Amino acid sequence: MHPFSWIKFFLDDDLVTHITTETNRYAHQHFNTHELAPHSREHNYKYVTSDEIWTYLGIVFMTGIDKRPEIEDYWSTRPLFHTPWYGQKMSLRRFQQISKFLHFADNDARPADCEDRLYKVRPIIDSLVGKFRNTYIPEKEIAIDEGMIAWKGRLIFRVYMPDKPDKYGIKAYLVCESTSGYIWNFEIYCGKSRPIKELVVDLLGPQLLDKGYHLYQDNYYNSVELCETLLQRNTYVCGTFRMDRGAPKELKNDVKKLKKGESVFSRKGQVLVQVWRDKRDVKLISTLHTAKIVESAKTNRKGEKICRPEVIGDYNKHMRGVDRADQMLYYYPCSRKTVKWTKKLVFFLLQMAALNSFILFKKYTTTEKYKKRNYKFKDFILDCVEKMTEQNKQCGEGEQSRNEVDDESIASDSSAVTPPPA
């Protein structure tokens, strides 16, 4: 199978058709509510086709690899910039027109009492979440952590996370397979806090709970109460810990007496809470491990093996799933500066779809052409972009101009993305 066949598991024709419909609907609404200047170029605006949206998205993916300061630079004829490919696929004016009207939900259909802050991107989120969860079953080790979509504009649910490369933006909770980084589930934080236990249980859902999964997560999520709840659902936890999340008072007192290299622990049933002193106190919780101290592969300055709790080794090994996904997404970001947070978020979600496609492609492809060479994520994106832009048949020539479409024809085209059943 060609790489493009894999990305279509998530970015399929139904999703592209939905984006096409909503983009045309929004353009139509705009022209009905705004009076155009006599010499405005929008008098000759053509409604987009699905082929054009495929080409547009292909160019967007390409800009993640071919990074340039301004969007106009991709169509520049200056020798230092000139790349004929972009002009051959779509004109700059047409690309800017589609960018202006790109839309993902019908504004007029929003209920008056709707409190969903993600309404404008909800169809894309629901579609991709359903496909991510139903296309692949992760291996036993999974991890939960936060991802960040960079955004510095005004937004009620923008957050600040000093530990992330992009410190301001939209936060996403990600459930990833530890070995590959496959993003199995995600939830966008909307500024409304809820109990951590409820969040974790919802992220795992009935598809992962009660299946014996090993869950790795940091101290933002972990608590003795959560570990006990997940044990009842046959799910085991390992990670770092905050002492005010259920640690016994006796353990807190023992920690004060620790010297470097020493550890203390306490058990409550199957829940282990352990503190090991290195340069600082490392606080751990697990329902998988004993308090055993083991040798690690690392050595100190004297060449001696460093001994540490076995919990740390497994945590470091399996917590890399989200970090690996973050790293891959950070290499080729296709989102650009925009005044609309919706576009920034959707482009990030499409990158997630591309990454998941690549992970499945690498895992299951049997084609010798791809298995023999060191096939990278960049190669995968380039192969997909070639196919996405080949599909364009009417670039710059939409099926109908804005003057040839009436209100009823737009209103009757109510095609929408329906996510697969959970």
Side-chain angles (χ1 to χ4, degrees):
M1 289 175 63
H2 189 277
F4 183 62
S5 300
W6 292 85
I7 203 172
K8 288 194 74 174
F9 281 127
F10 308 114
L11 182 55
D12 57 14
D13 291 328
D14 288 341
L15 189 63
V16 171
T17 299
H18 173 80
I19 295 173
T20 304
T21 299
E22 294 306 332
T23 298
N24 286 334
R25 192 195 311 276
Y26 180 66
H28 189 69
Q29 292 168 350
H30 171 83
F31 294 130
N32 281 347
T33 55
H34 293 75
E35 184 176 350
L36 301 182
H39 302 292
S40 173
R41 292 176 177 176
E42 291 180 357
H43 282 292
N44 297 320
Y45 177 80
K46 301 284 186 179
Y47 286 95
V48 298
T49 65
S50 293
D51 280 340
E52 280 189 292
I53 292 296
W54 273 117
T55 298
Y56 176 86
L57 294 178
I59 293 173
V60 167
F61 276 118
M62 189 63 194
T63 62
I65 296 175
D66 182 14
K67 299 181 178 66
R68 301 187 184 183
E70 304 291 340
I71 199 68
E72 292 81 3
D73 294 336
Y74 293 97
W75 282 266
S76 173
T77 56
R78 188 171 181 172
L80 291 172
F81 280 124
H82 186 48
T83 306
W85 181 85
Y86 294 99
Q88 292 169 1
K89 298 302 179 182
M90 182 175 286
S91 69
L92 171 60
R93 182 185 300 178
R94 187 57 173 167
F95 185 88
Q96 291 174 326
Q97 285 180 335
I98 296 175
S99 295
K100 178 177 180 177
F101 295 113
L102 191 67
H103 226 65
F104 313 103
D106 183 6
N107 292 341
D108 291 347
R110 182 169 186 164
D113 59 347
C114 178
E115 297 182 355
D116 185 5
R117 291 174 175 173
L118 297 173
Y119 173 83
K120 291 186 176 182
V121 294
R122 180 59 65 187
I124 309 299
I125 292 175
D126 290 347
S127 175
L128 291 180
V129 165
K131 292 167 186 171
F132 289 174
R133 293 170 61 170
N134 293 329
T135 301
Y136 177 70
I137 299 174
E139 297 177 1
K140 179 179 278 189
E141 284 78 22
I142 55 176
I144 293 181
D145 202 357
E146 297 95 10
M148 180 70 88
I149 303 107
W151 179 258
K152 291 187 177 180
R154 290 184 179 181
L155 189 62
I156 193 170
F157 50 88
R158 188 190 71 170
V159 300
Y160 171 69
M161 297 182 68
D163 295 334
K164 295 291 184 181
D166 297 310
K167 303 185 186 308
Y168 290 94
I170 303 168
K171 181 169 71 172
Y173 302 106
L174 308 177
V175 179
C176 297
E177 183 182 64
S178 293
T179 53
S180 67
Y182 180 90
I183 301 169
W184 184 83
N185 194 13
F186 66 89
E187 180 176 315
I188 306 299
Y189 173 72
C190 297
K192 299 178 181 179
S193 298
R194 57 176 177 145
I196 296 296
K197 182 173 71 172
E198 178 185 322
L199 171 66
V200 172
V201 170
D202 285 352
L203 283 171
L204 298 178
Q207 289 170 284
L208 297 188
L209 291 171
D210 304 308
K211 303 293 194 304
Y213 275 92
H214 295 178
L215 174 63
Y216 295 83
Q217 51 193 9
D218 63 23
N219 59 21
Y220 176 79
Y221 304 92
N222 280 325
S223 67
V224 172
E225 181 186 8
L226 176 62
C227 288
E228 292 174 337
T229 299
L230 292 179
L231 273 175
Q232 296 172 4
R233 303 297 303 270
N234 193 26
T235 303
Y236 304 91
V237 174
C238 173
T240 53
F241 181 64
R242 298 178 186 177
M243 297 295 281
D244 59 355
R245 299 279 186 88
K249 293 181 180 179
E250 298 79 10
L251 186 64
K252 295 177 182 178
N253 293 330
D254 292 340
V255 168
K256 299 175 183 178
K257 306 172 185 177
L258 283 178
K259 297 179 181 179
K260 186 174 181 179
E262 295 180 342
S263 74
V264 291
F265 69 92
S266 177
R267 273 197 175 278
K268 182 181 180 183
Q270 199 171 334
V271 181
L272 167 72
V273 176
Q274 186 174 13
V275 181
W276 175 64
R277 178 159 294 174
D278 189 27
K279 293 179 181 179
R280 59 181 179 82
D281 289 340
V282 182
K283 307 170 187 70
L284 308 159
I285 190 168
S286 177
T287 56
L288 284 166
H289 300 87
T290 66
K292 185 178 178 181
I293 304 295
V294 298
E295 286 187 352
S296 71
K298 295 184 177 180
T299 58
N300 58 25
R301 293 179 180 178
K302 298 179 181 179
E304 301 169 341
K305 291 282 187 179
I306 296 176
C307 295
R308 64 188 185 186
E310 64 175 351
V311 181
I312 294 178
D314 282 350
Y315 174 76
N316 289 341
K317 178 181 178 181
H318 296 297
M319 193 59 190
R320 296 171 184 167
V322 179
D323 294 337
R324 185 177 291 109
D326 267 349
Q327 184 182 29
M328 298 283 280
L329 292 172
Y330 197 75
Y331 283 155
Y332 311 112
C334 60
S335 57
R336 303 188 65 86
K337 186 176 180 180
T338 174
V339 297
K340 294 185 178 180
W341 65 267
T342 52
K343 287 198 291 185
K344 192 94 168 181
L345 178 55
V346 168
F347 288 161
F348 181 81
L349 298 181
L350 296 182
Q351 281 180 261
M352 289 168 54
L355 175 59
N356 279 353
S357 306
F358 173 67
I359 290 169
L360 296 183
F361 171 81
K362 290 283 284 185
K363 190 178 182 72
Y364 294 112
T365 188
T366 57
T367 308
E368 290 299 321
K369 173 184 176 182
Y370 302 110
K371 292 184 75 69
K372 283 183 178 179
R373 59 187 173 126
N374 184 21
Y375 195 76
K376 299 178 180 178
F377 187 34
K378 181 186 72 173
D379 302 317
F380 180 84
I381 294 175
L382 290 174
D383 284 341
C384 289
V385 166
E386 287 180 353
K387 284 292 183 181
M388 291 167 77
T389 54
E390 276 180 9
Q391 293 197 13
N392 185 57
K393 303 294 189 302
Q394 303 174 33
C395 183
E397 298 294 334
E399 290 178 347
Q400 296 172 296
S401 73
R402 71 174 194 85
N403 296 319
E404 298 170 336
V405 180
D406 57 20
D407 292 348
E408 291 185 1
S409 64
I410 288 289
S412 64
D413 190 356
S414 57
S415 59
V417 174
T418 303

